[in-house]
Amino acid sequence: MFYSTTSIVEETSIGFIGLGQMGYHMAKHLQSKADNKPFIIYDVDKGAISRFTNDSELNTNSRVKVASSPADLASKASVIVTALPESSHVKSVYLGKDGIVHGIGSGTLCIDSSTIDISVSTEVSKQVIAVGARAVDAPISGGIMGAKAATLTFMVGSETTGDFERAKSCLEKMGKNVVHCGSLGAGQTAKICNNLLLAISMIGTAEAMNLGIRLGLDAGVLASIFNTSSGRCWSSDTANPVPDVIPTAPSTNGYAGGFKSRLMLKDLGLVSNAAKDSKSPLLLGSLAENIYRHISNNPEMVDKDFSVVYKWLTSTAGSSGSKS
């Protein structure tokens, strides 16, 4: 692993595909720091494109252009960032009809910030490289709050250090930490390991908070103890799952925004696949996946932030015998 601040390529035009909850804010930061370079976007959701092109906070010195397809965008950009929901979307955008590989020029750099299967990520990167372009995987951590504040962490896998250095100069405009994790697919590996730990820590925080509250402790007092003691973690001090403990946490906003439970389930599925492929034991991870499967089967919780596990514990699990 290494860290570097050296930029080796001055990009002439920037393309961005995927204006979802994360991608929208990432694209805004990237566009705002694009100087006078052309900034090209594409998304299957025309509403997202309209919202972006009409955003009053955009940099007026960098005119936003809308591509007709991923291939069209690829033909006009020297660097392309993609932020897509799942493996199938990445394969379609890169390799499908009118996909990136059908329009990309020699030397163009593709940066995929999606969280997908390691094998799919590696396959797509290799096919991009096979047509004369360059590719890195750069999944992200930090959630919507990090995307809005440009404090994301990017975990990068690359074939060469030069590819990493080039990607880093772009990623620094959208995040705070850019870490080289190793070869192609290494960024995806780091990301799913991080989200495995995140899911487990959120469930643990929710369970501990629920227990303390049921035993009579004030939620704020209990959280302050966690956050100054050995139990401290991001799930407690930044995204505490109990409403009104942290004013900016999704739980305080009805569990709106944040990282959706169904996406956490998706990532835990990626963890499960990787564990099977590497023959690694997955004890708490399997339990976490089962919990988020139950949550995702609840229509009132599936699109809520994954900290809604606290609400699930106090309602669904609580009905089995604990006080509600």
Side-chain angles (χ1 to χ4, degrees):
M1 181 187 298
F2 67 91
Y3 301 77
S4 176
T5 57
T6 304
S7 175
I8 62 171
V9 173
E10 180 67 23
E11 306 299 349
T12 58
S13 52
I14 303 168
F16 200 103
I17 300 177
L19 302 174
Q21 285 191 308
M22 295 289 290
Y24 187 92
H25 300 291
M26 292 165 61
K28 276 184 64 175
H29 284 296
L30 190 56
Q31 192 273 345
S32 70
K33 300 164 187 173
D35 299 322
N36 60 349
K37 299 181 181 68
F39 194 86
I40 310 115
I41 60 171
Y42 177 79
D43 196 290
V44 294
D45 182 354
K46 304 308 178 186
I49 290 177
S50 177
R51 179 184 169 211
F52 190 87
T53 55
N54 291 298
D55 196 310
S56 61
E57 296 180 354
L58 293 181
N59 176 6
T60 56
N61 292 323
S62 177
R63 190 163 67 90
V64 175
K65 301 177 181 179
V66 179
S68 60
S69 68
D72 179 45
L73 180 145
S75 70
K76 300 172 181 175
S78 63
V79 61
I80 302 167
V81 179
T82 53
L84 303 163
E86 299 182 13
S87 296
S88 61
H89 302 109
V90 172
K91 291 184 73 173
S92 176
V93 164
Y94 276 89
L95 310 178
K97 181 183 178 182
D98 294 325
I100 286 172
V101 296
H102 300 298
I104 200 166
S106 177
T108 297
L109 175 66
C110 292
I111 304 171
D112 183 35
S113 290
S114 316
T115 299
I116 59 174
D117 265 312
I118 299 168
S119 60
V120 172
S121 176
T122 304
E123 173 197 348
V124 169
S125 291
K126 287 182 176 179
Q127 292 204 39
V128 169
I129 293 170
V131 297
R134 305 304 304 167
V136 303
D137 52 289
I140 47 186
S141 180
I144 293 176
M145 290 184 287
K148 288 180 178 178
T151 57
L152 296 169
T153 291
F154 290 91
M155 295 154 272
V156 184
S158 66
E159 189 176 63
T160 69
T161 56
D163 290 341
F164 168 71
E165 294 287 353
R166 186 177 169 192
K168 187 173 189 290
S169 66
C170 180
L171 297 173
E172 285 177 324
K173 295 177 174 63
M174 301 178 284
K176 185 177 181 181
N177 304 296
V178 183
V179 184
H180 189 248
C181 300
S183 59
L184 292 174
Q188 297 292 348
T189 299
K191 174 59 190 292
I192 64 171
C193 289
N194 178 78
N195 276 23
L196 167 63
L197 180 58
L198 178 61
I200 293 169
S201 69
M202 181 58 79
I203 293 168
T205 300
E207 193 168 76
M209 290 293 297
N210 184 49
L211 176 62
I213 291 168
R214 286 171 183 263
L215 291 174
L217 288 176
D218 176 81
V221 171
L222 183 57
S224 69
I225 292 170
F226 290 165
N227 298 339
T228 55
S229 303
S230 55
R232 183 177 183 178
C233 60
W234 183 90
S235 296
S236 177
D237 68 11
T238 302
N240 197 285
V242 179
D244 301 318
V245 169
I246 304 291
T248 56
S251 59
T252 303
N253 189 35
Y255 299 98
F259 186 57
K260 293 181 180 181
S261 294
R262 61 178 173 83
L263 295 179
M264 177 56 83
L265 177 62
K266 183 266 291 185
D267 285 0
L268 290 171
L270 299 178
V271 169
S272 180
N273 291 341
K276 290 174 183 175
D277 290 343
S278 61
K279 295 181 172 59
S280 302
L282 199 65
L283 306 180
L284 296 180
S286 294
L287 180 59
E289 183 181 14
N290 190 42
I291 288 172
Y292 278 102
R293 183 173 292 108
H294 280 290
I295 292 172
S296 295
N297 285 335
N298 184 324
E300 295 182 0
M301 297 183 180
V302 61
D303 285 320
K304 297 293 188 180
D305 179 73
F306 76 110
S307 60
V308 78
V309 65
Y310 173 77
K311 183 177 180 180
W312 178 81
L313 278 171
T314 60
S315 58
T316 306
S319 65
S320 66
S322 301
K323 289 191 297 180
S324 59

